[in-house]
Amino acid sequence: MFVEQRFPLLKIFLWSLVLCFCGGVTAATNDLKATYLRCEYKVDPVIDAPSPRLSWILKSQRKQQTQTAYRILVASTPNKLSTQLADLWDSKKVLSDKTFQIEYKGAPLKSRQICYWKVMSWDKNDVPGEWSKYARWEMGLLDTADWKGQWIGLDLTALGKDSIYHLPPAPYLRKTVVLKDGIKKARLYVTALGLYEFYINGARIGKDFLTPGWTDYNKRVYYQAYDVTSNLHSGNNAIGSILSYGWYAGYIGYAILVKNPQVKSFYGKVPALLAQLEIEYNNGETQTITSDSKWKANYGPIEQTDILQGEFYNAGKEFVGWTLPTYNESGWKAVEIIQKENRTIECYPGNPVQVTQNLKPLSIKAGDKGSYLFDMGQNFAGIIKLWVKGSAGDTLLLRYGEMLNPDGTLMTANLRMARATDRYILRGDPDGEVWSPRFTYHGFRYVEATGLRQQPDETSITGLVLGSTTPDAGSFQCSNSMINQLYQNIVWTQRANFVDIPTDCPQRDERLGWTGDAQIYVSSATLNKDISAFFTKWLVDLNDAQLSNGAYPDYAPFPPIRATDAFSPGWMEAGIICAYEIFRTYGDTRIIQKFWPNMEKFMEFLQQRSGGRYFFAERSFDDIVPKGGFGDWLSIGKKTAPDMLATMYFGYTASMMAEMAEGIDNHDRAIYYNELARRIKSAFLKHYVLPNGEMKCDIAEYAKDRTYSDEQGELSGNTQTAYANAIYMRMLPDSLIPSAGERLDKLVKENNGFLSTGFLGVKALLPALSKTGHTQTAYKLLLNTGYPSWGYEIENGATTIWERWNSYTRNEGFVAGMNSFSHYSFGSICEWLFQNVGGIKSDGPAYKRIIIKPEIPEGGIASAKASLNTMNGEVVSSWKIKKNMLFLEVKIPVNTTADIQIPTQNYNTVSINGEKHGKVSALYASSVENGYVSIKVGSGNYTFSSEIKK
Ligand code: BGC
């Protein structure tokens, strides 16, 4: 969408040259190898999609390699598969270059069915390759009727009330079961309203945290499925579970802070477990053990437990051996059956939250009141592992913070009402004791431990980094250490906030799936991690939360934590923008199909709101809080008129809808949305842009209502954010783009080369400068270290991206109140690092056609490398400057084509793989444009050099 479409005919001609060249080489053998076989974006998963989508990545040593056909076999056993006996599906030879989003079209799949599959590909010469190794997927429980158990729990809500918080203890549930000889296979299907951990015979099952994840529990809850065959044996076995309140019954967001009448238990008060253990014996018999009235319950060591407030654990109250069959449960009560109305129970589609890294403290300092301050060296989200020796009853208090006060003490003011405190009471084991909280997490760099008897060392506290296990996708690095730190800060902030849902921040009483933050950052997120499964999950949350008027809400899931929270321009469009980015990055059309009616409803809402005028005039959103919406949130200086931004988002989402409609072959709707986008752009132009291209708004109209100027400062149409978005969102006719670029460049220069953008402006700023030929101004913004800039944060020790440009300043210190040091919105510069510095872009969906076009700075960075694992395989662009020469190395995956644009001053100095361009140009279609030589290639590794300075 953002790729320039100049000279389309020339392009077609050039591509045909490439294809001629590709077809001209013959090879008798096929070295195509299908690797990384996935189903529904996962390796060997348990799923419940009735027609799962399969994908693989092709590898080949040959250049310009493509797949011309494939064949998939799916069988019910590995043996059948190895003898080509595809009893579930034989796709037969399909003439297609597709390697992903291929729907299974075999025999209908049943609950619990295991499917083994493999694939082979024909290469560009129609030579068949070898079969891949086999992969598998397993069907979970497809029907609510598959669930035979009852929701069980223990109502402890009468306990744990203090003046501020109500934190009852965690229920423990257990049961002894007798199994027969000859266990062949066992599966545990388990979920909870609240959070759960599950144990069998002394072992914790799985390594997932915060299960089953956050959903609108009134509509749906997810379950996890675990292979527990090796945990069971014949005879007596014990199964058990610990429950916590979690998002279901615990505290959420700032409800206490804003004095909401309800502050917790937004979905229910008593957490409940639903579990089903299914055993298959060698003789074909099956046995199902479910959560039911025969389980026993108790409470003890976990005295308080809450995601935001933390966990209090009293090891003196431990139930030693409670998950072993030998345990004497005589003191335990019968569980309560918790009546729950129906809701959908589905298999968890996301990536589970797990410990992804352990961190050792960088330093330990003694404080004045007998406390110790551990500096973990990195701001992150997670928990700690404590290793401690002491006497029974010793009490350790653990507090967490991101920053230190000027006097060196822990800064917790920015946590607001999140208590974020853990407590551990020792049982007094002479060999020492190890503990981690289970059902909470914190956003922190520093831990303050009070109550340690002995001088701690680096083994006393380990940081356990928690986050959704989104697989690695890209990486960026360059010769400038400040930029490398910036990139690492972006990645750490993403890791800290992709915790089951995309949160705004991990530390304070918030941690909500703010839609504005998500839509601003989503395309950056795709460059760091594979977020396909993660967003497949969150887009369900987002659509479940769609308001009855059609707007997507401020955050999702959307429990009623503040009555005035509703929707806002720049936030509510996340339902379109995030779906679009998942489509663009992964070629995912199912996500479009699935939410198409919801997305249309949202577009209808916008149209109605605009009163058929195709734009939003000043004060069109007087009825929401804050008036006009959040606008260019946390910008500096003059505020951009929010209705102008709302109009741009209207046009932007209409264009995305048109492209998505094409993606699902709905040509009528594509025409409709293209026409809508055209009308919006022309209305926008008429109302918000002067004939000379200057952007303006009716300030007098806003001035009539003081709330606007009080809340948003002085409003203007002539801001960095306004021009940046108009360029980025293609709201201007081609004739006005250069002048908009000039004005943007001028505004930055008039601001002494500094940005003034907030959440909505920052993402578009550098891309818009680049697009209009002001790359060097963009580099200036990137390389700045003065206030406000990314560099300023880094010079002040940031290890993550701050919420505000002025979260901390040397003159003013910390901003009071809302102030997080781990907020990814300003990390949306990541997009520009990959797409413009590294120069990797996708021309159309899923990086099938790649553009490599690095932009070279005049100073500050002498080399840069970006790499990205796409649905087609790895793309790499790596350049360095030596004297007046540029050296570029590029890797293009099999089955794709690339337009490699090599910056040069002199066309004749360009060489490809060591040969002068002039000599090899017959092999590669090429053209010269605006200081770039464009060379079309297929897959392979390439090196280029060119003179960039005289
Ligand atoms: C959140 C943001 C969010 C905003 C709405 C804040 O409290 O932390 O990131 O987008 O509210 O303006």
Side-chain angles (χ1 to χ4, degrees):
M1 182 174 182
F2 309 116
V3 172
E4 285 159 66
Q5 294 292 338
R6 278 174 290 174
F7 312 121
L9 280 180
L10 180 69
K11 269 199 175 156
I12 292 167
F13 169 70
L14 294 174
W15 279 116
S16 33
L17 274 180
V18 176
L19 295 177
C20 285
F21 170 68
C22 297
V25 181
T26 47
T29 56
N30 171 350
D31 76 335
L32 274 183
K33 275 204 173 58
T35 61
Y36 198 40
L37 271 63
R38 286 185 298 164
C39 171
E40 290 296 314
Y41 296 123
K42 295 180 185 178
V43 176
D44 298 344
V46 179
I47 54 154
D48 59 6
S51 32
R53 295 161 300 171
L54 306 175
S55 73
W56 58 93
I57 284 184
L58 291 170
K59 296 246 162 83
S60 163
Q61 296 306 314
R62 308 230 168 94
K63 275 203 166 59
Q64 327 270 20
Q65 186 57 283
T66 55
Q67 170 190 284
T68 52
Y70 68 81
R71 182 179 173 197
I72 295 170
L73 298 185
V74 186
S76 57
T77 68
N79 277 349
K80 285 184 182 154
L81 192 67
S82 61
T83 55
Q84 272 44 296
L85 215 133
D87 56 342
L88 294 174
W89 188 39
D90 179 349
S91 75
K92 302 279 167 51
K93 183 176 178 182
V94 181
L95 297 182
S96 166
D97 64 351
K98 260 183 110 171
T99 56
F100 50 87
Q101 310 296 358
I102 297 171
E103 280 193 8
Y104 167 85
K105 292 214 172 68
L109 297 169
K110 297 189 286 272
S111 289
R112 308 171 184 87
Q113 184 154 13
I114 303 179
C115 307
Y116 299 87
W117 70 286
K118 62 184 180 181
V119 61
M120 65 180 279
S121 298
W122 281 257
D123 71 2
K124 62 184 175 187
N125 301 310
D126 198 28
V127 179
E130 293 186 356
W131 285 108
S132 69
K133 292 199 181 119
Y134 79 77
R136 50 176 278 167
W137 80 83
E138 180 170 333
M139 300 307 284
L141 302 181
L142 304 188
D143 220 314
T144 316
D146 285 321
W147 290 88
K148 304 292 180 212
Q150 289 166 296
W151 293 97
I152 58 171
L154 184 63
D155 184 350
L156 300 169
T157 51
L159 306 171
K161 289 188 182 156
D162 72 18
S163 55
I164 308 176
Y165 303 106
H166 176 202
L167 297 166
Y172 282 59
L173 314 175
R174 80 177 300 283
K175 185 181 183 171
T176 308
V177 295
V178 184
L179 304 182
K180 290 176 228 160
D181 273 343
I183 297 169
K184 184 180 164 199
K185 171 186 149 195
R187 292 289 183 271
L188 171 71
Y189 304 98
V190 54
T191 182
L193 294 166
L195 302 175
Y196 75 85
E197 272 192 356
F198 205 92
Y199 293 83
I200 299 180
N201 295 328
R204 188 183 156 204
I205 302 306
K207 43 189 183 164
D208 305 340
F209 280 77
L210 305 174
T211 46
W214 189 0
T215 47
D216 180 345
Y217 301 106
N218 299 318
K219 292 189 174 152
R220 75 185 76 239
V221 62
Y222 292 124
Y223 66 87
Q224 280 71 34
Y226 298 101
D227 179 350
V228 292
T229 316
S230 62
N231 295 90
L232 296 168
H233 46 73
S234 59
N236 282 344
N237 292 262
I239 56 178
S241 176
I242 314 175
L243 295 179
S244 180
Y245 300 84
W247 297 287
Y248 176 79
Y251 289 90
I252 297 177
Y254 39 61
I256 303 180
L257 183 83
V258 301
K259 303 200 165 47
N260 198 57
Q262 185 183 2
V263 293
K264 64 178 303 232
S265 308
F266 288 96
Y267 303 93
K269 287 196 172 76
V270 184
L273 175 83
L274 182 66
Q276 186 151 317
L277 177 61
E278 298 191 356
I279 297 128
E280 199 182 307
Y281 291 97
N282 291 329
N283 64 5
E285 258 181 68
T286 59
Q287 186 178 357
T288 302
I289 294 151
T290 63
S291 48
D292 60 19
S293 58
K294 297 196 194 85
W295 288 52
K296 290 283 162 30
N298 210 344
Y299 66 93
I302 302 185
E303 295 177 326
Q304 296 189 2
T305 170
D306 185 77
I307 293 181
L308 290 173
Q309 322 309 354
E311 204 150 287
F312 282 11
Y313 190 84
N314 187 342
K317 292 189 185 169
E318 246 160 31
F319 302 121
V320 180
W322 74 281
T323 60
L324 295 176
T326 46
Y327 183 72
N328 176 359
E329 63 179 27
S330 57
W332 291 45
K333 304 185 223 2
V335 290
E336 293 162 35
I337 302 295
I338 316 275
Q339 292 303 334
K340 298 290 174 196
E341 48 313 322
N342 281 344
R343 70 201 77 217
T344 318
I345 306 178
E346 290 169 9
C347 190
Y348 187 70
N351 305 110
V353 176
Q354 293 179 350
V355 173
T356 58
Q357 194 176 338
N358 288 2
L359 297 176
K360 266 193 200 164
L362 204 63
S363 71
I364 305 167
K365 286 201 181 92
D368 48 2
K369 288 179 207 115
S371 65
Y372 288 92
L373 191 70
F374 292 75
D375 177 0
M376 307 311 294
Q378 172 64 51
N379 195 2
F380 67 103
I383 50 176
I384 57 149
K385 187 172 82 183
L386 185 70
W387 193 97
V388 63
K389 257 190 212 176
S391 312
D394 283 0
T395 301
L396 266 181
L397 208 62
L398 300 148
R399 299 199 308 143
Y400 302 85
E402 297 180 288
M403 298 296 251
L404 299 181
N405 293 312
D407 64 0
T409 56
L410 191 73
M411 201 272 273
T412 55
N414 69 333
L415 305 182
R416 299 193 309 209
M417 293 307 292
R419 188 182 66 180
T421 303
D422 298 328
R423 191 178 77 182
Y424 182 75
I425 299 179
L426 279 73
R427 59 175 178 269
D429 191 328
D431 295 332
E433 34 208 290
V434 177
W435 175 75
S436 286
R438 293 171 164 84
F439 302 113
T440 189
Y441 73 96
H442 312 292
F444 65 104
R445 168 173 172 169
Y446 300 96
V447 189
E448 182 203 76
T450 313
L452 285 168
R453 289 242 182 177
Q454 293 172 351
Q455 168 90 24
D457 63 26
E458 59 165 38
T459 61
S460 306
I461 283 182
T462 308
L464 306 183
V465 180
L466 283 179
S468 290
T469 44
T470 47
D472 287 340
S475 67
F476 177 88
Q477 110 204 47
C478 69
S479 62
N480 183 310
S481 58
M482 188 272 279
I483 308 302
N484 291 340
Q485 182 68 47
L486 167 63
Y487 179 66
Q488 289 309 322
N489 291 4
I490 293 170
V491 174
W492 272 105
T493 311
Q494 180 168 332
R495 291 174 66 183
N497 283 292
F498 278 28
V499 180
D500 186 60
I501 60 159
T503 62
D504 56 337
C505 55
Q507 72 299 87
R508 68 170 177 239
D509 53 354
E510 198 139 355
R511 310 188 199 179
L512 300 173
W514 279 95
T515 46
D517 310 42
Q519 70 84 0
I520 280 295
Y521 186 72
V522 61
S523 74
S524 287
T526 65
L527 300 167
N528 299 324
K529 302 281 174 182
D530 173 354
I531 59 162
S532 50
F534 181 83
F535 263 78
T536 299
K537 190 251 169 200
W538 189 65
L539 280 164
V540 175
D541 300 332
L542 181 54
N543 282 281
D544 275 353
Q546 187 172 28
L547 304 178
S548 56
N549 66 5
Y552 287 102
D554 290 338
Y555 40 87
F558 192 56
I561 59 175
R562 175 165 62 187
T564 53
D565 289 345
F567 59 90
S568 164
W571 274 249
M572 61 188 177
E573 298 83 355
I576 309 295
I577 298 170
C578 296
Y580 173 82
E581 289 299 341
I582 297 307
F583 160 60
R584 276 281 302 202
T585 309
Y586 308 108
D588 189 332
T589 47
R590 185 173 286 175
I591 213 106
I592 308 176
Q593 301 274 19
K594 185 167 177 186
F595 300 120
W596 188 251
N598 301 59
M599 294 194 283
E600 292 235 76
K601 188 173 173 195
F602 172 67
M603 296 309 293
E604 193 45 46
F605 159 78
L606 292 182
Q607 293 223 59
Q608 279 179 14
R609 270 253 151 185
S610 82
R613 296 201 295 166
Y614 302 104
F615 76 102
F616 298 109
E618 289 78 358
R619 299 184 52 195
S620 289
F621 293 90
D622 261 11
D623 57 330
I624 58 174
V625 179
K627 277 194 178 168
F630 301 114
D632 188 21
W633 189 245
L634 306 180
S635 62
I636 294 201
K638 279 193 184 167
K639 304 286 156 194
T640 308
D643 300 284
M644 170 192 263
L645 284 168
T647 305
M648 290 202 263
Y649 271 100
F650 189 12
Y652 186 50
T653 48
S655 305
M656 287 177 166
M657 287 296 281
E659 216 179 310
M660 286 193 278
E662 284 298 357
I664 56 168
D665 295 324
N666 190 340
H667 307 299
D668 290 351
R669 296 313 277 169
I671 293 168
Y672 171 83
Y673 283 111
N674 272 323
E675 174 58 15
L676 177 63
R678 194 195 59 74
R679 287 179 189 215
I680 297 165
K681 286 175 195 177
S682 99
F684 168 75
L685 213 60
K686 235 191 193 151
H687 190 79
Y688 284 116
V689 188
L690 293 169
N692 69 1
E694 190 180 323
M695 294 178 67
K696 48 104 200 185
C697 68
D698 185 352
I699 300 170
E701 185 56 38
Y702 287 118
K704 285 183 198 156
D705 184 334
R706 279 207 35 218
T707 1
Y708 275 94
S709 44
D710 285 355
E711 278 181 5
Q712 312 209 4
E714 199 185 332
L715 290 164
S716 168
N718 188 37
T719 62
Q720 292 182 14
T721 291
Y723 292 107
N725 278 305
I727 295 165
Y728 187 91
M729 297 184 183
R730 300 182 150 261
M731 289 301 291
L732 299 171
D734 286 352
S735 60
L736 287 181
I737 291 177
S739 69
E742 290 302 324
R743 284 175 210 277
L744 175 60
D745 185 60
K746 195 161 154 249
L747 284 174
V748 174
K749 287 182 175 145
E750 281 171 4
N751 199 32
N752 300 317
F754 285 94
L755 52 76
S756 63
T757 47
F759 278 27
L760 301 188
V762 71
K763 166 182 158 140
L765 183 60
L766 278 67
L769 285 164
S770 273
K771 195 179 154 85
T772 51
H774 301 284
T775 292
Q776 299 312 324
T777 307
Y779 269 110
K780 164 101 180 58
L781 292 169
L782 173 72
L783 293 164
N784 274 342
T785 53
Y787 170 78
S789 67
W790 292 276
Y792 184 78
E793 298 183 5
I794 289 157
E795 296 255 304
N796 285 288
T799 59
T800 35
I801 301 290
W802 298 351
E803 177 174 23
R804 303 167 172 271
W805 297 115
N806 62 345
S807 281
Y808 169 84
T809 53
R810 271 166 246 154
N811 294 339
E812 313 277 333
F814 297 119
V815 160
M818 188 192 83
N819 190 8
S820 130
F821 291 84
S822 186
H823 241 75
Y824 48 61
S825 294
F826 289 158
S828 59
I829 190 180
C830 188
E831 190 179 310
W832 189 79
L833 293 178
F834 275 82
Q835 297 189 348
N836 300 73
V837 182
I840 300 176
K841 282 187 186 163
S842 181
D843 179 9
Y847 295 86
K848 182 87 179 110
R849 294 191 310 268
I850 297 159
I851 297 172
I852 302 285
K853 187 183 181 186
E855 295 174 23
I856 309 301
E858 278 164 7
I861 301 178
S863 67
K865 177 178 179 182
S867 71
L868 183 62
N869 291 320
T870 70
M871 291 303 278
N872 288 297
E874 193 188 28
V875 184
V876 180
S877 167
S878 169
W879 55 261
K880 59 174 180 271
I881 306 167
K882 272 196 189 150
K883 295 194 181 135
N884 60 339
M885 294 296 289
L886 173 83
F887 299 89
L888 174 66
E889 287 179 22
V890 173
K891 183 175 171 189
I892 301 299
V894 172
N895 222 17
T896 66
T897 54
D899 175 359
I900 302 178
Q901 303 202 23
I902 303 134
T904 186
Q905 281 284 343
N906 180 353
Y907 165 69
N908 293 316
T909 65
V910 174
S911 73
I912 307 173
N913 296 340
E915 294 211 55
K916 275 276 178 290
H917 172 247
K919 288 198 190 140
V920 289
S921 62
L923 298 183
Y924 300 94
S926 68
S927 65
V928 189
E929 227 174 79
N930 295 338
Y932 281 87
V933 171
S934 151
I935 296 185
K936 322 282 181 185
V937 299
S939 67
N941 294 332
Y942 303 89
T943 58
F944 305 90
S945 63
S946 77
E947 198 177 278
I948 48 163
K949 287 178 219 155
K950 284 261 151 45

Coordinates of all heavy atoms in Angstrom, one line a residue, residues 254 416 503-505 507-508 510-518 554-555 562 568 571 626 629-631 633-634 759 803 818 820 823-825, ligand 1:
Y254 N -6.9 0.6 36.6 CA -6.9 1.7 37.5 C -8.3 1.9 38.2 O -8.6 3.0 38.6 CB -6.5 3.0 36.8 CG -7.2 3.1 35.4 CD1 -8.5 3.1 35.2 CD2 -6.4 3.2 34.3 CE1 -9.1 3.2 34.0 CE2 -6.9 3.2 33.0 CZ -8.3 3.3 32.9 OH -8.9 3.3 31.6
R416 N 1.3 3.8 41.0 CA 0.0 4.2 41.4 C -0.6 3.2 42.4 O 0.0 2.9 43.4 CB -0.9 4.5 40.2 CG -0.3 5.6 39.3 CD -1.3 6.1 38.3 NE -1.9 5.1 37.5 CZ -2.4 5.2 36.3 NH1 -2.2 6.4 35.6 NH2 -3.0 4.2 35.6
T503 N -0.2 -5.2 26.1 CA -0.6 -4.2 27.2 C 0.1 -2.9 26.9 O 1.1 -2.8 26.1 CB -0.1 -4.7 28.5 OG1 1.3 -4.9 28.6 CG2 -0.8 -6.0 28.9
D504 N -0.3 -1.9 27.6 CA 0.3 -0.6 27.5 C 1.6 -0.5 28.3 O 2.6 0.0 27.9 CB -0.6 0.6 27.9 CG -1.2 0.3 29.3 OD1 -1.2 -0.8 29.8 OD2 -1.6 1.3 29.9
C505 N 1.6 -1.2 29.4 CA 2.7 -1.1 30.4 C 2.6 -2.3 31.3 O 1.5 -2.8 31.6 CB 2.7 0.2 31.1 SG 1.2 0.6 32.0
Q507 N 3.9 -2.4 34.6 CA 4.2 -2.1 36.0 C 3.0 -1.5 36.8 O 2.7 -2.0 37.9 CB 5.4 -1.2 36.1 CG 5.3 0.3 35.7 CD 4.9 0.5 34.3 OE1 3.7 0.5 34.0 NE2 5.8 0.6 33.4
R508 N 2.4 -0.5 36.4 CA 1.4 0.2 37.2 C 0.0 -0.4 37.2 O -0.2 -1.5 36.5 CB 1.3 1.7 36.8 CG 0.7 1.9 35.4 CD 0.4 3.4 35.2 NE -0.1 3.6 33.9 CZ 0.5 4.4 33.0 NH1 1.6 5.0 33.2 NH2 -0.1 4.5 31.8
E510 N -2.5 -0.7 35.5 CA -3.1 -0.5 34.2 C -3.0 -1.8 33.4 O -3.9 -2.6 33.4 CB -2.5 0.6 33.5 CG -3.3 1.1 32.4 CD -3.4 2.6 32.2 OE1 -2.8 3.4 33.0 OE2 -4.0 3.1 31.2
R511 N -1.9 -2.1 32.7 CA -1.7 -3.3 32.0 C -2.9 -3.8 31.2 O -3.3 -4.9 31.2 CB -1.3 -4.4 33.0 CG -0.2 -4.0 34.0 CD 0.2 -5.2 34.8 NE 0.9 -4.7 36.0 CZ 1.4 -5.5 37.0 NH1 1.3 -6.8 36.8 NH2 2.0 -5.1 38.0
L512 N -3.4 -2.8 30.4 CA -4.6 -3.0 29.6 C -4.2 -3.1 28.2 O -3.2 -2.6 27.7 CB -5.6 -1.9 29.8 CG -6.1 -1.7 31.3 CD1 -7.0 -0.4 31.3 CD2 -6.9 -2.9 31.7
G513 N -5.1 -3.8 27.4 CA -4.8 -3.9 26.0 C -5.3 -2.7 25.2 O -6.2 -2.7 24.4
W514 N -4.6 -1.5 25.5 CA -5.0 -0.3 24.9 C -4.9 -0.4 23.4 O -3.8 -0.7 22.8 CB -4.1 0.9 25.4 CG -4.5 1.4 26.7 CD1 -4.1 1.0 28.0 CD2 -5.6 2.4 27.0 NE1 -4.7 1.7 28.9 CE2 -5.7 2.5 28.4 CE3 -6.4 3.1 26.2 CZ2 -6.6 3.4 29.0 CZ3 -7.3 4.0 26.8 CH2 -7.4 4.1 28.2
T515 N -6.0 0.0 22.7 CA -6.0 -0.2 21.3 C -5.2 0.7 20.5 O -4.6 0.4 19.4 CB -7.5 -0.2 20.8 OG1 -8.1 1.0 21.4 CG2 -8.3 -1.4 21.3
G516 N -5.0 2.0 21.0 CA -4.2 3.0 20.3 C -2.8 2.5 20.2 O -2.1 2.5 19.2
D517 N -2.3 2.1 21.4 CA -0.9 1.6 21.5 C -0.7 0.5 20.5 O 0.3 0.4 19.8 CB -0.6 1.2 22.9 CG -1.0 2.3 24.0 OD1 -2.1 2.8 23.8 OD2 -0.2 2.5 24.9
A518 N -1.7 -0.5 20.5 CA -1.5 -1.7 19.7 C -1.5 -1.3 18.2 O -0.6 -1.8 17.5 CB -2.6 -2.7 20.0
D554 N -11.6 1.5 23.8 CA -10.3 2.0 24.2 C -9.3 0.9 24.5 O -8.1 1.0 24.3 CB -10.4 2.8 25.5 CG -11.1 4.2 25.2 OD1 -11.2 4.6 24.0 OD2 -11.7 4.7 26.2
Y555 N -9.7 -0.2 25.0 CA -8.9 -1.3 25.3 C -9.6 -2.6 25.2 O -10.9 -2.6 25.3 CB -8.2 -1.2 26.7 CG -9.0 -0.7 27.8 CD1 -9.8 -1.6 28.5 CD2 -9.1 0.7 28.1 CE1 -10.7 -1.1 29.5 CE2 -9.9 1.1 29.1 CZ -10.7 0.2 29.8 OH -11.5 0.7 30.8
R562 N -13.9 1.9 34.3 CA -14.2 3.3 34.4 C -15.3 3.7 33.5 O -15.2 3.4 32.3 CB -12.9 4.2 34.0 CG -13.2 5.7 34.1 CD -11.9 6.5 34.1 NE -11.1 6.3 32.9 CZ -9.9 6.8 32.7 NH1 -9.3 7.5 33.6 NH2 -9.3 6.6 31.5
S568 N -12.2 6.1 21.1 CA -11.5 7.3 20.7 C -10.9 7.2 19.3 O -10.3 6.1 19.0 CB -10.4 7.6 21.7 OG -9.5 8.6 21.2
W571 N -7.6 5.1 18.4 CA -7.6 3.9 19.2 C -8.6 2.9 18.6 O -8.3 1.8 18.4 CB -8.0 4.2 20.7 CG -6.9 4.7 21.5 CD1 -6.4 3.9 22.6 CD2 -6.1 5.8 21.4 NE1 -5.3 4.6 23.1 CE2 -5.1 5.8 22.4 CE3 -6.1 6.9 20.6 CZ2 -4.1 6.8 22.6 CZ3 -5.2 8.0 20.8 CH2 -4.2 7.9 21.8
P626 N -11.6 11.8 27.0 CA -11.7 13.3 27.0 C -12.3 13.7 25.7 O -12.3 13.0 24.7 CB -10.2 13.7 27.1 CG -9.4 12.5 26.6 CD -10.2 11.3 26.9
G629 N -11.4 12.8 22.1 CA -10.6 11.6 22.2 C -9.2 11.9 22.7 O -8.9 13.0 23.2
F630 N -8.3 10.9 22.7 CA -7.0 11.1 23.2 C -6.0 11.8 22.3 O -5.0 12.3 22.8 CB -6.4 9.7 23.6 CG -7.2 8.9 24.5 CD1 -7.8 7.7 24.1 CD2 -7.3 9.3 25.8 CE1 -8.6 7.0 25.0 CE2 -8.1 8.6 26.7 CZ -8.7 7.4 26.3
G631 N -6.4 12.0 21.1 CA -5.6 12.8 20.1 C -4.2 12.3 20.0 O -3.9 11.1 20.2
W633 N -1.7 11.7 21.6 CA -1.4 11.5 23.1 C 0.1 11.7 23.4 O 1.0 11.1 22.8 CB -1.8 10.1 23.4 CG -1.9 9.7 24.9 CD1 -1.1 8.8 25.4 CD2 -2.7 10.2 25.9 NE1 -1.4 8.7 26.8 CE2 -2.4 9.5 27.1 CE3 -3.7 11.2 25.9 CZ2 -3.0 9.8 28.3 CZ3 -4.4 11.4 27.1 CH2 -4.0 10.7 28.3
L634 N 0.3 12.6 24.4 CA 1.7 12.8 25.0 C 2.6 13.5 24.0 O 3.8 13.3 24.1 CB 2.3 11.5 25.5 CG 1.4 10.8 26.6 CD1 2.1 9.6 27.1 CD2 1.0 11.7 27.8
F759 N 1.8 9.9 20.5 CA 1.6 8.5 20.0 C 1.2 8.4 18.5 O 1.8 7.6 17.8 CB 0.5 7.9 20.8 CG 0.8 7.3 22.1 CD1 1.9 7.8 22.9 CD2 0.1 6.3 22.7 CE1 2.2 7.3 24.1 CE2 0.4 5.8 23.9 CZ 1.5 6.3 24.7
E803 N 7.2 5.9 28.4 CA 5.8 6.3 28.0 C 5.8 7.8 27.4 O 5.1 8.1 26.5 CB 4.9 6.3 29.2 CG 3.5 6.7 28.9 CD 2.5 6.5 30.1 OE1 3.1 6.4 31.2 OE2 1.3 6.4 29.9
M818 N 1.0 9.5 36.0 CA 1.0 8.5 34.9 C 2.4 8.6 34.3 O 2.7 9.5 33.5 CB -0.1 8.9 33.9 CG -0.2 7.8 32.8 SD -1.3 8.4 31.5 CE -0.1 9.4 30.6
S820 N 5.1 5.6 32.9 CA 5.7 4.3 32.8 C 7.0 4.4 32.0 O 7.2 5.2 31.2 CB 4.7 3.4 32.1 OG 5.3 2.6 31.0
H823 N 6.7 1.4 27.7 CA 5.6 1.6 26.9 C 6.0 1.6 25.5 O 6.9 2.4 25.1 CB 5.1 3.1 27.2 CG 3.7 3.2 27.8 ND1 3.4 2.8 29.1 CD2 2.5 3.6 27.2 CE1 2.1 3.1 29.3 NE2 1.6 3.5 28.2
Y824 N 5.4 0.7 24.6 CA 6.1 0.6 23.3 C 5.7 1.6 22.3 O 6.2 1.6 21.2 CB 5.9 -0.8 22.8 CG 4.5 -1.4 22.8 CD1 3.5 -0.8 22.1 CD2 4.3 -2.6 23.5 CE1 2.2 -1.4 22.2 CE2 3.1 -3.2 23.5 CZ 2.0 -2.6 22.9 OH 0.8 -3.1 22.9
S825 N 4.7 2.5 22.5 CA 4.2 3.3 21.5 C 5.3 4.1 20.8 O 5.4 4.2 19.5 CB 3.1 4.3 22.0 OG 2.0 3.5 22.4
Ligands
BGC1 C1 -2.3 4.3 28.7 C2 -2.0 4.6 27.3 C3 -3.3 4.7 26.6 C4 -3.8 6.0 27.2 C5 -5.0 6.5 26.5 C6 -2.9 5.5 29.3 O1 -3.2 5.4 30.6 O2 -1.1 3.9 29.4 O3 -0.9 4.0 26.7 O4 -3.2 4.7 25.2 O5 -4.0 5.9 28.5 O6 -4.7 7.8 26.2

